C-alpha cells in the first residue's frame, strides 16, 4: 500500500498565502507517503504569473521542500517557473528529504474555451516520470489529460501511477469532462490515478478556475474517493496488488498493437 494525500486547496493571487495553505495541508497529511497539490499552487492564473514566476530554487518551492522534509513525505505541486519571454507551467516533484527529483513542464497548453494559455506560457516538450515514495509517478497537468497519447507515453517510460494536477475551469459540462477524462486515463491504462484540482475560491470566483472534484481512481476506472467541491486534505490508499489483479482481468496493455 502507498498512502496519498489529495490536497485540494483554494489558490489566491498571493504566493505567500498559498505557501501557508500548502504547509497547513502538509501538516494535515501527516502519515502519507506522497502529497499532491493542484496546478498553479504558486499563484492563481492571470497575467500576474509572468511577474510572480520563480526559479525552482525560489522561496515557494524551497518552502514546500522544507515542509516535505519536516513531515517526511514527498510532494507534487504546480508552480510557474521563470523562463524566456514566457513562463513555464511546471509540476515539481520533491522527495521526503526535500530534494527536487523531477520537474515537468506542461506540454499541452489550454488554448480552448476562449482561453489562450500560450500567450503567457512556453510549452514543455518531454513527458516526465518522477520517482517518489517508492513509485514511478507519471506527471500530467490539466489540459494534458485530454490527450491519451501522453498518458500512454508515461506508461512506456515506466509509470506505475498517474498524478493529474489541475486548475480546471468551470462552465457547461466542464466538470463532467474532468471526471470522464480522469477515469478514462485510469481505465485505458489500468493505472491508479490521483487527480487533484484547485478548490473554488469564492474571493476570486470571477475567473472560473477551480471546480474541486479531486479524486482517486483505480485501474478499472472506479472512483475510490471524491473530495467534492470544498477545500480539504484526504488520505487515500493505493493497493499495488489490485493493479496486478486488474491487469490480469483486463490485459489491454499487453494487447496493444500500435
Amino acid at each position: 500500500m502507498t498512502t496519498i494525500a489529495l490536497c485540494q486547496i483554494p489558490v489566491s493571487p498571493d504566493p505567500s498565502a498559498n505557501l501557508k495553505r500548502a504547509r497547513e495541508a502538509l501538516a494535515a497529511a501527516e502519515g502519507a507517503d506522497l502529497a499532491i497539490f493542484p496546478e498553479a499552487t504558486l499563484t492563481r492564473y492571470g497575467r500576474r504569473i509572468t511577474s510572480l514566476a520563480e526559479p525552482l530554487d525560489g522561496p515557494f518551492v524551497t518552502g514546500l521542500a522544507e515542509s516535505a522534509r519536516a513531515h517526511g513525505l514527498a510532494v507534487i505541486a504546480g508552480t510557474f517557473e521563470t523562463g524566456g519571454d514566457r513562463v513555464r507551467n511546471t509540476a515539481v516533484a520533491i522527495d521526503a528529504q526535500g530534494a527536487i527529483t523531477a520537474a515537468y513542464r506542461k506540454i499541452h497548453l489550454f488554448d480552448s474555451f476562449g482561453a489562450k494559455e500560450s500567450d503567457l506560457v512556453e510549452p514543455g516538450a518531454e513527458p516526465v516520470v518522477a520517482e517518489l515514495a517508492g513509485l514511478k509517478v507519471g506527471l500530467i497537468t490539466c489540459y494534458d489529460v485530454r490527450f491519451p497519447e501522453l498518458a500512454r507515453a508515461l506508461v512506456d517510460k515506466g509509470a506505475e501511477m498517474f498524478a493529474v494536477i489541475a486548475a480546471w475551469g468551470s462552465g457547461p459540462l466542464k466538470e463532467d469532462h474532468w471526471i470522464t477524462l480522469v477515469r478514462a486515463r485510469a481505465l485505458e491504462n489500468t493505472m491508479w490515478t490521483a487527480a487533484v484540482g484547485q478548490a473554488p475560491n469564492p474571493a476570486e470566483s470571477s475567473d472560473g478556475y477551480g471546480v474541486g472534484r479531486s479524486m482517486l481512481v483505480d485501474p478499472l476506472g472506479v472512483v475510490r474517493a471524491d473530495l467534492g467541491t470544498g477545500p480539504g486534505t484526504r488520505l487515500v490508499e493505493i493497493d499495488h496488488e489490485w493493479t496486478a489483479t486488474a491487469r490480469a482481468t483486463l490485459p489491454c496493455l499487453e494487447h496493444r498493437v500500435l
Side-chain angles (χ1 to χ4, degrees), residues 72-120:
L73 75 171
V75 173
I76 294 169
T79 186
F80 293 108
E81 185 186 1
T82 48
D85 296 335
R86 296 175 288 174
V87 304
R88 300 185 181 102
N89 184 341
T90 301
V92 63
I94 302 167
D95 70 16
Q97 288 72 49
I100 296 172
T101 64
Y104 165 64
R105 284 85 186 189
K106 184 178 181 182
I107 293 173
H108 302 98
L109 301 184
F110 187 56
D111 289 1
S112 298
F113 292 96
K116 195 75 184 294
E117 185 177 14
S118 63
D119 283 348
L120 304 174

Side-chain angles (χ1 to χ4, degrees), residues 33 37 60 70-71 97 104 106-107 114 124 138 140 144 156 169 182 219:
D33 302 299
F37 288 90
F60 182 76
H71 294 288
Q97 288 72 49
Y104 165 64
K106 184 178 181 182
I107 293 173
I140 297 172
D144 281 334
D156 289 341
V182 170

Side-chain angles (χ1 to χ4, degrees), residues 8-234:
Q8 180 170 288
I9 64 171
V11 174
S12 87
D14 180 5
S16 62
N18 296 326
L19 179 57
K20 181 175 182 292
R21 284 188 180 124
R23 283 175 160 160
E24 291 168 350
L26 288 174
E30 195 79 46
D33 302 299
L34 169 63
I36 305 176
F37 288 90
E39 176 189 27
T41 301
L42 169 73
T43 183
R44 201 165 181 84
Y45 260 106
R47 296 208 167 266
R48 72 182 72 86
I49 67 175
T50 57
S51 59
L52 293 177
E54 299 180 0
L56 294 183
D57 60 357
F60 182 76
V61 174
T62 299
L64 284 178
E66 289 170 352
S67 289
R69 185 168 56 250
H71 294 288
L73 75 171
V75 173
I76 294 169
T79 186
F80 293 108
E81 185 186 1
T82 48
D85 296 335
R86 296 175 288 174
V87 304
R88 300 185 181 102
N89 184 341
T90 301
V92 63
I94 302 167
D95 70 16
Q97 288 72 49
I100 296 172
T101 64
Y104 165 64
R105 284 85 186 189
K106 184 178 181 182
I107 293 173
H108 302 98
L109 301 184
F110 187 56
D111 289 1
S112 298
F113 292 96
K116 195 75 184 294
E117 185 177 14
S118 63
D119 283 348
L120 304 174
V121 177
E122 172 186 313
E126 294 294 329
V128 172
V129 173
E131 295 200 23
L132 295 170
L135 280 177
K136 294 180 178 178
V137 183
L139 302 177
I140 297 172
T141 301
C142 205
Y143 192 50
D144 281 334
V145 78
R146 293 183 181 271
F147 299 87
E149 57 270 30
L150 174 60
R152 193 53 58 87
L154 293 170
V155 170
D156 289 341
K157 290 175 74 71
E160 299 168 312
M161 175 192 128
F162 295 144
V164 182
I165 64 172
W168 203 258
S170 60
L173 298 178
K174 291 295 297 301
E175 196 170 313
D176 286 341
H177 291 187
W178 166 252
I179 296 164
T180 300
L181 289 160
V182 170
R183 293 185 67 194
R185 298 296 82 82
L187 176 57
E188 71 196 4
N189 295 291
T190 50
M191 185 79 73
W192 285 97
T193 300
V196 178
Q198 292 183 14
N201 185 341
E204 306 291 340
S205 60
S206 62
D207 62 21
Y209 290 114
V211 300
R213 301 305 301 271
S214 300
M215 62 184 70
L216 178 70
V217 182
D218 79 11
L220 291 180
V222 176
V223 177
R224 296 291 190 97
D226 184 331
L227 272 64
T229 57
T233 297
R234 185 180 302 180

